[in-house]
Amino acid sequence: MIKLKYRTGLKDMPSYDVVERDWNIKVNANESNLNMPPMVEERLMARLSSVAFNRYPNEQVDTLAEQIAANFNLGKENVLIANGSSEILEKLFFAFGGRGRKIVYPQPSFSMYKIYAKFSASTGVPVDLKDDYTFDPVAFVDAVKENKATLAVICSPNNPTGTKIPLADIEYVAKNIDCAFAVDEAYVEFDGGTAVGLMRDYPHMMIARTFSKAYGLASARVGYLLADKKIIEMVGKACMPYHVNVLSAITADIVYQMRDEYVPRIQMSIAERKRMSELLKQIDGMEIYPSVTNFILVKHPQAVEINKYLESLGIGVRSFGNAPRLENCLRISMGTREENDTWYKAIKDFVEGNVQ
Ligand SMILES: *Cc1c(COP(=O)(O)O)cnc(C)c1O
């Protein structure tokens, strides 16, 4: 075997570390536990029969961009469609990062920021959230300035803490930094408090969104960036030709057209989050972080053992191992009411010692 010369640093890159198996109850990835509403599926199936599979995608992606732009009173040139907001984020780190450059983001937050920083050969600079996981705008701005960062990223509502960054704090950051500023709004549909309105006054601001969470379309990998048209043009250069496939584009297009169909399930998820937060408080030693998303972060001294027990029952929640500042934390996505009752009972039984 020839000794292959992989790119410098690749060997030490972590793999995306979610352990998947055939769970009985899967509440570990903040997905929707409901598949497409039947009316949406029907329309998609009809549309599939008219796809020109032999052609590269073109107008399908444009149509989606136009539709999204119209919803925000923006132009098509302010929207970049991509393979999930993951691709958006990766390209942002690529476009604004590079050797010798620094990119600032909160900690704990979405685990991929650190990895995209490495991938883009940039230096990631995590800024600690406060002890209660709320955002510290002053510390964040100071870090951006001290490091002369070229990109600042925040996540609101934040994954995995579920906490939201107040709009006033986001504006404070926008006003006081002089580099590209991206807000990851992967969970905003569960909350409504978007920062899109700030983009008008702060053209260095960008918003990343996804179809994977509230719209239950994780399988199709579709996300988008809203930004000034120069930013869209530059970040677009970092994408390969025809990077978004037709099947995903038309699926997202139909889902977006029919997004009213998703309102009841989004509301159900919010109601479940409230119900489960209250119930979790009744478990001895359980600390619950207030969430505005479709998941709840909890801390418990026996988190590792609880997770093992849940695994033995085929229930997958997200445990963070030794990730910074997430010791003894578990993140649980809201499933159906029955699923939630099941994992809750399992946790309660375990903590109360009702398990062999
Ligand atoms: C899930 C998630 C993403 C990635 O979503 P995709 O669109 O599926 O790539 C981005 N940011 C945060 C905070 C997320 O939780």
Side-chain angles (χ1 to χ4, degrees):
M1 177 78 179
I2 303 166
K3 188 168 185 323
L4 302 179
K5 296 198 170 70
Y6 289 103
R7 186 191 179 89
T8 307
L10 190 59
K11 191 166 61 73
D12 302 320
M13 292 281 301
S15 302
Y16 191 62
D17 59 346
V18 181
V19 187
E20 289 301 356
R21 36 178 265 216
D22 199 6
W23 301 108
N24 299 325
I25 294 183
K26 179 166 166 29
V27 284
N28 61 355
N30 298 344
E31 296 148 320
S32 168
N33 276 18
L34 298 175
N35 206 343
M36 212 170 243
M39 276 169 62
V40 180
E41 186 185 340
E42 215 172 284
R43 196 177 304 177
L44 174 62
M45 292 308 160
R47 175 100 166 255
L48 279 175
S49 64
S50 63
V51 169
F53 283 96
N54 53 323
R55 301 292 178 201
Y56 285 113
N58 247 327
E59 80 272 22
Q60 298 90 346
V61 180
D62 275 0
T63 309
L64 176 59
E66 274 161 23
Q67 204 201 153
I68 291 170
N71 183 47
F72 294 104
N73 276 321
L74 297 168
K76 189 184 84 172
E77 65 283 359
N78 299 117
V79 182
L80 179 67
I81 310 287
N83 290 288
S85 51
S86 293
E87 188 185 21
I88 294 286
L89 292 163
E90 187 215 353
K91 298 309 181 196
L92 286 179
F93 279 67
F94 180 86
F96 293 104
R99 205 159 292 291
R101 293 191 172 196
K102 292 184 176 167
I103 300 179
V104 174
Y105 44 82
Q107 171 175 277
S109 189
F110 191 39
S111 59
M112 292 304 293
Y113 301 152
K114 181 175 157 187
I115 296 175
Y116 296 140
K118 282 213 173 115
F119 240 144
S120 62
S122 327
T123 304
V125 180
V127 179
D128 274 345
L129 296 176
K130 295 183 196 163
D131 286 344
D132 62 356
Y133 293 144
T134 55
F135 181 70
D136 184 341
V138 176
F140 192 81
V141 165
D142 286 350
V144 171
K145 287 183 171 163
E146 275 164 27
N147 288 285
K148 299 189 172 56
T150 50
L151 172 65
V153 181
I154 60 172
C155 183
S156 182
N158 189 41
N159 178 11
T161 60
T163 39
K164 152 178 177 175
I165 304 179
L167 266 190
D169 288 356
I170 299 179
E171 182 161 16
Y172 174 86
V173 174
K175 193 178 278 184
N176 289 289
I177 66 174
D178 58 359
C179 66
F181 178 32
V183 185
D184 183 345
E185 291 192 340
Y187 299 94
V188 76
E189 291 85 359
F190 296 102
D191 170 62
T194 178
V196 170
L198 292 173
M199 283 172 44
R200 194 179 302 273
D201 291 332
Y202 305 99
H204 59 302
M205 254 186 95
M206 303 156 252
I207 310 283
R209 294 268 189 110
T210 179
F211 281 83
S212 299
K213 307 286 162 59
Y215 294 117
L217 206 59
S219 65
R221 312 297 297 115
V222 185
Y224 57 95
L225 179 71
L226 305 174
D228 177 75
K229 74 173 202 275
K230 181 71 185 169
I231 297 176
I232 297 294
E233 183 195 327
M234 294 296 288
V235 178
K237 290 185 189 191
C239 300
M240 65 176 186
Y242 309 113
H243 57 133
V244 178
N245 74 75
V246 169
L247 300 179
S248 293
I250 61 174
T251 307
D253 191 52
I254 291 169
V255 165
Y256 205 70
Q257 278 175 33
M258 301 182 75
R259 60 190 181 283
D260 287 352
E261 297 293 319
Y262 291 82
V263 172
R265 53 179 66 192
I266 290 171
Q267 279 168 353
M268 177 56 82
S269 193
I270 294 169
E272 282 296 284
R273 181 195 74 221
K274 290 180 178 161
R275 184 174 76 94
M276 299 320 292
S277 298
E278 287 310 309
L279 285 173
L280 283 162
K281 283 180 193 157
Q282 298 171 15
I283 294 179
D284 218 28
M286 191 70 78
E287 200 171 338
I288 292 101
Y289 295 92
S291 167
V292 295
T293 63
N294 64 336
F295 59 84
I296 303 171
L297 185 77
V298 297
K299 190 179 276 188
H300 193 280
Q302 290 173 282
V304 174
E305 294 79 12
I306 294 172
N307 185 43
K308 272 208 190 101
Y309 178 62
L310 292 175
E311 272 183 356
S312 75
L313 300 177
I315 300 173
V317 303
R318 180 72 197 262
S319 138
F320 295 93
N322 53 7
R325 306 204 45 212
L326 291 172
E327 300 81 16
N328 289 330
C329 286
L330 298 173
R331 189 194 65 195
I332 311 170
S333 325
M334 293 305 103
T336 62
R337 191 181 169 101
E338 297 70 37
E339 288 172 329
N340 296 336
D341 285 339
T342 305
W343 61 249
Y344 176 77
K345 184 172 184 309
I347 295 176
K348 196 168 159 63
D349 285 349
F350 183 85
V351 172
E352 290 177 355
N354 299 328
V355 197
Q356 308 317 317

